[in-house]
Amino acid sequence: MSEIPETASGVVWQSSPPGSIYDYIRVASFSIGPDGLVDQWSRRAVDLFGVPAEEAMGKDPVEAFMPADLRERGRRRVAEILDGKEWTGLVPFRIPGQNRPEGIAEMYVMPSETSAGERAALCIVVDVRALRRIETDLAASQAIFGQSPFGFLLFGTDLTVKRANQRFATVFGGSADDHRGRTVHDYLSHTEAERMTAALQRVLETGEAVTELQIVGAAPGSTDRRHWSINLYRVHSGTGRPIGVAGLGIDVTRRHNAAREAANARRNLALLNEAGARIGNSLDLEATARELLDVAVPGFCDLASVDLYQGLLTGDEAPPGRWGSSHDVGYGAGSAELRRVAVASAVSDTPTRTPDTAHGDGCCGTDPVEVGSVHRYPFNSPCAGALRTGRIRTMPGADGGLVRSTLVVPMVAHDIVVGLVQFSRTKGSEPFGERDRALAVELAARAAVCIDNARLYRREHERALILQRSLLPPGDPEAAGLDIACRYLPGTTATEVGGDWFDVIELPGHRTALVIGDVMGRGLRAAVAMGELRTAVRTLAQLDLEPAEVLSHLDEIARGLGAPAGAQQSARAHKARGPELSEVYLATCVYAVYDPVTRRCTFANAGHLPPVLVEPGEAALLLDVPPGMPLGVGGEPFEEVEVELPEGSLLALYTDGLVESRDHPLDEGLSAFRSALADPARPLEDVCDHVLTTLDTQHGEDDIALLMARIQGLPSDAVGDWRLPREPRSVGRARELARAQLTAWDLEPLVDTVELLVSELVTNALRYGEGEIRLRLLRDRTLVCEVWDAGLVQPRRRRARDTDEGGRGLQLVGLLSAAWGSRRTPRGKTVWFELPLPDGDGVAEPTVEQLLSMF
């Protein structure tokens, strides 16, 4: 700060500090006495000419400082000046001791008088080179300031505008001089003006420049938001004293918009990438809708909701369509029923019901929609229109409401509209642009494809499940000499249906076939293959084949399941080429035949897990049944194992889903299964439940099938077994034995029918069979009669002609019995018939016409 002394007269003089304008223009002074010699030499003269005062004092300035060729003219000028004339001109000068000129000085000579009244002169000298530099600097400064294409302001220390350039005036109106004395509050909103003022004050106080200060405002008379990038730096005097702040403003609105567009494009690409990674990770429709909103909120919008067609969620066969076409009838308000399945909000104080609550009475004029509720949109509403046309709609928010705008986007997959998604932005967020509309359509389309895939998968899964369950025994099957309980747990909707199945098949002679199997693979095709194999098992079981023979035939059938038309015979003829001609279907299976009379069970295994047997008082054990190869591999025979099952023992057949998972090896699962069967005396249903709740089955990863049977056997008094010699009188003997046994069983109503049919079968055995004849009666839920002989020729029912004397015996057996048939045995054949017990449903007596038709 300069000192401000006060004189006696009260006039205040301010001493100029070093570094004033005189320093820049290099002003010096000296005086010439009456004798023409230098009598005063200022310090600035010392700086300008480089000559100390002691060397300059008393010297002729012409001789000392002027070149030799100019000295004559110089003397004349000095003389004229001492005569009282003023003179101004350019004077070359040199530093003493050097011959060449060093510079040009502009000199102003003023005549003066000494105290004695003698003539003298005062010389004011300015370095012309310094003046030229100042002129150049001023010209450059004026060019930069005045001709700059950017707005330029100079603020004083009081933060008012001291100078503005024409570019600034062009934007904010008036001339450049009109802006003098204004402040930033005259140009900007209060908030932005305060930011700018704080920045100016900080620059003025600290001297640290501010670059790229982003200011938002509008030019006078315009509502368009402009973006300026402001650079501020402090301006100093020659002494370093701050005299103000210079500000350069660049309109970066286009650059800002371009950057915003680029940022939006990057954001959109990131959202699409995230959508591809996160949407569709599950095959659940509601979960897919929530995944869509997890991506969209808050990255794309502030509020969002998803509506799906109710028919799609309930599994209707007819897919949802673009409503409003000729098939849209009976929908009342103009659109089919929809269910609000998901809502998301990034605004903490908004309700979680729906984003369209901000539209006054609700979106499209409807009441607010709760998540999970079923609703319709009015026919003429934008939402219904979007559903009918499959095109996006934009809805502005209500005045004074929370929502600024909403995009109503139909979810279209394969030209099928599956639902509607609404994206909303609240006040304060940027409005939706064209890029946002395109992104909204893309997000909705991706989610729609995933939802449609989930719909198709669920439909296939449900069909496979229906098919699978329809092929399983209904309820708990019944069998002679067995108490049976079963469980079937299909995989969850997150996994595909597998090919597990089990079956309980009644065989002649009160025997029972127990079957369990698993088709490798998943989905509808595995379920269909399971159905084909199960049907084949039932068909082969009716032929009463041995278990190993059944599996051999199943193996051939499995190898031909995937064969194209006409290729199966070729595959059989060229077994080596079979896998090339068909898709291989592999399956595992256990087929067991239990005889309640002997309490023996014959097992055959095709690559399946071994059965588990729990005898009374013993630990559970795995039956040593040779596993064999899975069905469909071919080329390997199957072995049979016959096991005697004690009364009260427990037999368990199961699939791998019960004992195997990713969390533990198979051996641990089998050990845990055996431990869960430690108390087999409990009711069989409780044993099944205990097994499923005890084992760590990881249900959902695979299907689980469990078939359990407790051995009861037929009591000895329920079996009549006789051997008859091969002679005619055995026919009468057979009738007598049957009558006596039925009487002992209190089955007198069946005596006449049984005598007649036994007589026919024994007669046929004598006539067409071989070896010893065996008669056996079995009483359980029905009455079974069996006639055994050593002949291999199977009886065949035929229609006798009117002139035939025989050939009507088997017709009579078929007419009077509930069922009849024949099967091969290791040593011949067995012909049997079955009758219901008198307290059962009974078989209708044959009519006269039926009896006469046999003759």
Side-chain angles (χ1 to χ4, degrees), residues 36-59:
L37 301 179
V38 175
D39 63 356
Q40 287 186 356
W41 191 257
S42 67
R43 292 181 180 178
R44 289 185 180 272
V46 174
D47 295 336
L48 177 60
F49 295 105
V51 178
E54 58 270 17
E55 294 181 9
M57 296 291 288
K59 290 187 177 181

Side-chain angles (χ1 to χ4, degrees), residues 11-48:
V11 178
V12 177
W13 296 85
Q14 179 176 352
S15 61
S16 178
S20 68
I21 187 62
Y22 300 106
D23 291 323
Y24 286 107
I25 62 177
R26 301 187 70 185
V27 177
S29 67
F30 64 92
S31 62
I32 301 174
D35 56 0
L37 301 179
V38 175
D39 63 356
Q40 287 186 356
W41 191 257
S42 67
R43 292 181 180 178
R44 289 185 180 272
V46 174
D47 295 336
L48 177 60

Side-chain angles (χ1 to χ4, degrees), residues 468-469 471-473 485-491 498-503 515-519 522 530 534 588-590 608-612 651-660 670 673 688 691-692 695 697 699-708:
Q468 193 173 40
R469 286 177 172 171
L471 297 175
L472 296 175
C486 53
R487 294 291 187 274
Y488 173 71
L489 300 178
D500 293 15
W501 93 92
F502 65 90
D503 208 347
V515 189
I516 195 161
D518 184 3
V519 176
R522 310 193 65 79
M530 177 271 288
R534 178 182 180 275
T588 63
C589 180
V590 169
H608 201 81
L609 295 173
V612 174
L651 178 66
L653 305 178
Y654 53 95
T655 58
D656 56 0
L658 182 68
V659 295
E660 187 176 23
L670 290 173
F673 180 39
C688 287
V691 168
L692 294 179
L695 298 185
T697 61
H699 178 232
E701 296 181 0
D702 197 2
D703 295 357
I704 295 175
L706 175 63
L707 176 61
M708 305 189 74

Side-chain angles (χ1 to χ4, degrees), residues 345-425:
S345 171
V347 184
S348 59
D349 57 348
T350 57
T352 58
R353 293 190 298 184
T354 169
D356 48 33
T357 54
H359 291 280
D361 294 333
C363 175
C364 304
T366 62
D367 293 331
V369 182
E370 298 282 354
V371 175
S373 62
V374 178
H375 64 100
R376 297 174 184 263
Y377 287 114
F379 184 83
N380 294 323
S381 65
C383 294
L387 289 169
R388 286 193 302 272
T389 62
R391 296 180 180 178
I392 185 174
R393 299 286 183 92
T394 302
M395 295 193 307
D399 293 339
L402 174 67
V403 172
R404 180 172 188 172
S405 62
T406 298
L407 294 179
V408 179
V409 189
M411 304 177 72
V412 183
H414 311 117
D415 293 329
I416 296 175
V417 179
V418 298
L420 188 75
V421 58
Q422 298 181 52
F423 302 110
S424 299
R425 288 183 179 174

Side-chain angles (χ1 to χ4, degrees), residues 50 63 452 490 512 614 670 765 785 815:
E63 292 292 334
D452 193 51
T512 302
V614 187
L670 290 173
C785 175
L815 184 64

Side-chain angles (χ1 to χ4, degrees), residues 619-816:
L621 58 89
L622 298 175
L623 292 180
D624 186 13
V625 180
M629 299 298 291
L631 302 177
V633 174
E636 295 293 332
F638 297 97
E639 299 183 42
E640 293 181 358
V641 172
E642 190 175 60
V643 179
E644 183 174 354
L645 305 179
E647 182 79 14
S649 59
L650 188 65
L651 178 66
L653 305 178
Y654 53 95
T655 58
D656 56 0
L658 182 68
V659 295
E660 187 176 23
S661 75
R662 292 176 296 181
D663 296 337
H664 56 75
L666 178 61
D667 291 344
E668 291 184 9
L670 290 173
S671 177
F673 180 39
R674 293 166 58 190
S675 299
L677 297 174
D679 187 11
R682 301 167 60 184
L684 203 54
E685 293 291 337
D686 294 345
V687 174
C688 287
D689 293 337
H690 177 70
V691 168
L692 294 179
T693 55
T694 302
L695 298 185
D696 182 16
T697 61
Q698 298 292 318
H699 178 232
E701 296 181 0
D702 197 2
D703 295 357
I704 295 175
L706 175 63
L707 176 61
M708 305 189 74
R710 177 171 284 122
I711 307 304
Q712 295 176 343
L714 287 180
S716 58
D717 58 359
V719 179
D721 193 355
W722 308 274
R723 299 182 182 274
L724 303 173
R726 190 171 185 80
E727 55 187 28
R729 64 178 182 175
S730 294
V731 176
R733 178 61 180 163
R735 287 196 297 267
E736 293 174 0
L737 293 172
R739 182 186 309 111
Q741 186 64 67
L742 293 177
T743 301
W745 287 341
D746 295 326
L747 297 177
E748 287 84 355
L750 298 180
V751 170
D752 293 338
T753 301
V754 171
E755 282 188 349
L756 176 60
L757 298 185
V758 165
S759 178
E760 288 293 337
L761 295 186
V762 173
T763 300
N764 282 345
L766 288 172
R767 183 176 297 179
Y768 305 109
E770 299 178 7
E772 187 182 39
I773 299 172
R774 182 181 178 185
L775 172 65
R776 190 167 74 169
L777 294 178
L778 307 175
R779 178 177 62 86
D780 191 67
R781 291 175 292 113
T782 61
L783 177 68
V784 174
C785 175
E786 298 176 330
V787 176
W788 306 39
D789 70 82
L792 299 177
V793 179
Q794 297 290 322
R796 180 174 62 88
R797 182 178 178 179
R798 62 186 179 86
R799 179 173 293 277
R801 292 174 296 182
D802 294 343
T803 56
D804 291 342
E805 295 182 0
R808 297 177 178 84
L810 293 181
Q811 292 188 41
L812 187 63
V813 173
L815 184 64
L816 296 180

Side-chain angles (χ1 to χ4, degrees), residues 349-647:
D349 57 348
T350 57
T352 58
R353 293 190 298 184
T354 169
D356 48 33
T357 54
H359 291 280
D361 294 333
C363 175
C364 304
T366 62
D367 293 331
V369 182
E370 298 282 354
V371 175
S373 62
V374 178
H375 64 100
R376 297 174 184 263
Y377 287 114
F379 184 83
N380 294 323
S381 65
C383 294
L387 289 169
R388 286 193 302 272
T389 62
R391 296 180 180 178
I392 185 174
R393 299 286 183 92
T394 302
M395 295 193 307
D399 293 339
L402 174 67
V403 172
R404 180 172 188 172
S405 62
T406 298
L407 294 179
V408 179
V409 189
M411 304 177 72
V412 183
H414 311 117
D415 293 329
I416 296 175
V417 179
V418 298
L420 188 75
V421 58
Q422 298 181 52
F423 302 110
S424 299
R425 288 183 179 174
T426 58
K427 299 295 177 64
S429 299
E430 293 185 2
F432 289 113
E434 286 302 319
R435 289 181 181 269
D436 295 323
R437 289 168 58 91
L439 177 61
V441 171
E442 179 65 22
L443 289 175
R446 292 195 179 197
V449 169
C450 295
I451 287 174
D452 193 51
N453 290 341
R455 175 182 69 87
L456 295 175
Y457 167 78
R458 185 169 68 178
R459 184 175 65 182
E460 177 179 337
H461 185 274
E462 290 176 350
R463 289 177 176 176
L465 197 57
I466 291 173
L467 172 63
Q468 193 173 40
R469 286 177 172 171
S470 68
L471 297 175
L472 296 175
D476 291 331
E478 295 182 355
L482 294 175
D483 181 16
I484 295 178
C486 53
R487 294 291 187 274
Y488 173 71
L489 300 178
T492 63
T493 55
T495 59
E496 293 186 275
V497 170
D500 293 15
W501 93 92
F502 65 90
D503 208 347
V504 178
I505 307 171
E506 293 187 46
L507 299 178
H510 286 314
R511 294 172 305 135
T512 302
L514 302 175
V515 189
I516 195 161
D518 184 3
V519 176
M520 298 181 186
R522 310 193 65 79
L524 185 59
R525 301 178 68 183
V528 171
M530 177 271 288
E532 294 183 356
L533 290 178
R534 178 182 180 275
T535 302
V537 169
R538 279 191 160 266
T539 303
L540 294 170
Q542 296 305 317
L543 298 178
D544 212 354
L545 302 176
E546 296 297 323
E549 291 184 87
V550 172
L551 293 186
S552 296
H553 287 294
L554 282 179
D555 180 57
E556 290 290 334
I557 294 171
R559 295 174 63 195
L561 284 180
Q568 187 169 349
Q569 294 296 331
S570 178
R572 290 177 178 174
H574 306 280
K575 292 184 178 181
R577 298 177 57 196
E580 300 177 4
L581 295 173
S582 63
E583 180 180 354
V584 177
Y585 281 82
L586 299 179
T588 63
C589 180
V590 169
Y591 186 87
V593 175
Y594 171 68
D595 188 343
V597 178
T598 62
R599 293 186 181 87
R600 302 186 69 83
C601 188
T602 304
F603 295 92
N605 189 354
H608 201 81
L609 295 173
V612 174
L613 179 65
V614 187
E615 297 184 8
E618 301 290 338
L621 58 89
L622 298 175
L623 292 180
D624 186 13
V625 180
M629 299 298 291
L631 302 177
V633 174
E636 295 293 332
F638 297 97
E639 299 183 42
E640 293 181 358
V641 172
E642 190 175 60
V643 179
E644 183 174 354
L645 305 179
E647 182 79 14

